[in-house]
């Protein structure tokens, strides 16, 4: 550590002290668990521990890749992620622009609050609401369908409905929260640009297209790259709560496969190998998206 760094720390020691709890949390819950990744290379026995388990090298990865569930889980992961990118990524941007364009202060705050609050509802509660709303006997959706003379549908066991239901649930829960970043970016745009556009006769649509959108584009690109990195995760907790054996062909993703193999079947080595494979895919996607963004728009994370 050089003298300038020591001098800076001595000067702002109280600020660095505030960072310490977060730094410790990050080490304990983000870096320390990475030690467990070594189990991907062992035929891990939970009773014997790592020392008593047999080292198998890449055998777990080979078993996962050659297994009957590999293509299905990878395909489902990418398909659900694609739905998330196409629907759940752009709509918070539209919502942010719409909120900032509302003139009434009361309606603006009401809209922002109504779309923001679902993010703080437990995933378990949200999934329970979805299951109850879509119940074939007591769900409000099927009750309305009966009133219209339609036949009730058990949506949760029909594979063709699962991805749409999951995507709409995710959109409802996260759109308002994700819009906050874009609202902050819009607030940072110089108001003189809008005033000059009004003087030049630009209507609201033209101001949005030529000022707002270019102004938040760096933020959009940054968020897009970060979402690309998270796309293979696809919120597996919600999928675990929603899917049924009948929807496995379209709902079983890498994360839920790891959960079943590890927690339910006790094959921790194979489960860790599948999770590590998922992490490597995420890293490759982020790197590719970052390079593409840098080449096309000159904006990137690094």
């Amino acid at each position: 550590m050089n003298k300038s760094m020591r001098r800076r720390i001595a000067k702002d020691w109280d600020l660095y002290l505030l960072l310490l709890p977060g730094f410790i949390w990050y080490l304990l819950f983000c870096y320390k668990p990475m030690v467990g990744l070594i189990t991907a290379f062992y035929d891990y026995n939970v009773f014997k521990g790592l020392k008593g388990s047999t080292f198998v090298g890449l055998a777990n990865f080979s078993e996962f890749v050659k297994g009957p569930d590999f293509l299905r889980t990878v395909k489902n992961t990418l398909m659900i992620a694609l739905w998330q990118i196409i629907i759940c990524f752009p709509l918070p941007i539209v919502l942010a622009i719409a909120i900032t364009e509302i003139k009434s202060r009361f309606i603006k705050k009401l809209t922002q609050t109504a779309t923001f609050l679902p993010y703080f509802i437990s995933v378990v509660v949200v999934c329970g609401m979805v299951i109850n709303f879509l119940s074939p006997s007591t769900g409000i959706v099927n009750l309305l369908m009966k009133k219209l003379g339609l036949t009730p549908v058990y949506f949760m066991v029909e594979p063709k409905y699962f991805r749409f239901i999951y995507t709409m649930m995710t959109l409802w829960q996260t759109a308002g929260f994700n819009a906050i970043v874009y609202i902050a970016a819009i607030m940072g745009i110089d108001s003189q640009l809008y005033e000059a556009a009004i003087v030049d006769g630009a209507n609201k649509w033209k101001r949005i297209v030529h000022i707002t959108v270019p102004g938040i584009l760096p933020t959009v690109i940054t968020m897009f790259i970060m979402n690309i990195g998270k796309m293979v995760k696809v919120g597996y907790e919600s999928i675990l709560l929603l899917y049924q054996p009948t929807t496995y062909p379209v709902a079983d993703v890498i994360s839920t496969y790891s959960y079943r193999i590890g927690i339910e079947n006790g094959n921790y080595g194979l489960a860790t190998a599948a999770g590590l494979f998922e992490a490597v895919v995420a890293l490759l996607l982020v790197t590719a998206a970052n390079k593409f963004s840098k080449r096309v728009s000159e904006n990137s994370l690094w």
Side-chain angles (χ1 to χ4, degrees), residues 236-276:
Y236 81 98
E237 299 94 342
S238 304
I239 296 177
L240 279 173
L241 295 168
L242 289 178
Y243 76 168
Q244 307 281 343
T246 56
T247 57
Y248 279 2
V250 297
D252 194 24
V253 296
I254 297 175
S255 298
T256 55
Y257 171 81
S258 299
Y259 175 86
R260 286 202 321 277
I261 294 298
I263 303 300
E264 296 181 5
N265 298 343
N267 194 339
Y268 299 101
L270 179 58
T272 307
L276 186 55

Side-chain angles (χ1 to χ4, degrees), residues 64-78:
F64 172 60
V65 173
K66 294 179 180 178
D69 298 316
F70 175 73
L71 290 178
R72 182 187 69 182
T73 55
V74 172
K75 176 187 174 183
N76 291 339
T77 301
L78 295 178

Side-chain angles (χ1 to χ4, degrees), residues 37-54:
L37 293 177
I38 196 173
T39 58
F41 305 95
Y42 283 81
D43 182 14
Y44 185 72
N45 188 309
V46 68
F47 299 105
K48 296 180 179 179
L50 199 61
K51 292 183 178 180
S53 301
T54 306

Side-chain angles (χ1 to χ4, degrees), residues 141-160:
V141 175
N142 278 300
L143 290 177
L144 290 174
M145 291 175 65
K146 287 180 182 179
K147 294 291 183 181
L148 296 173
L150 300 174
T151 304
V153 178
Y154 198 170
F155 292 99
M156 299 310 299
V157 299
E158 291 284 347
K160 61 183 178 181

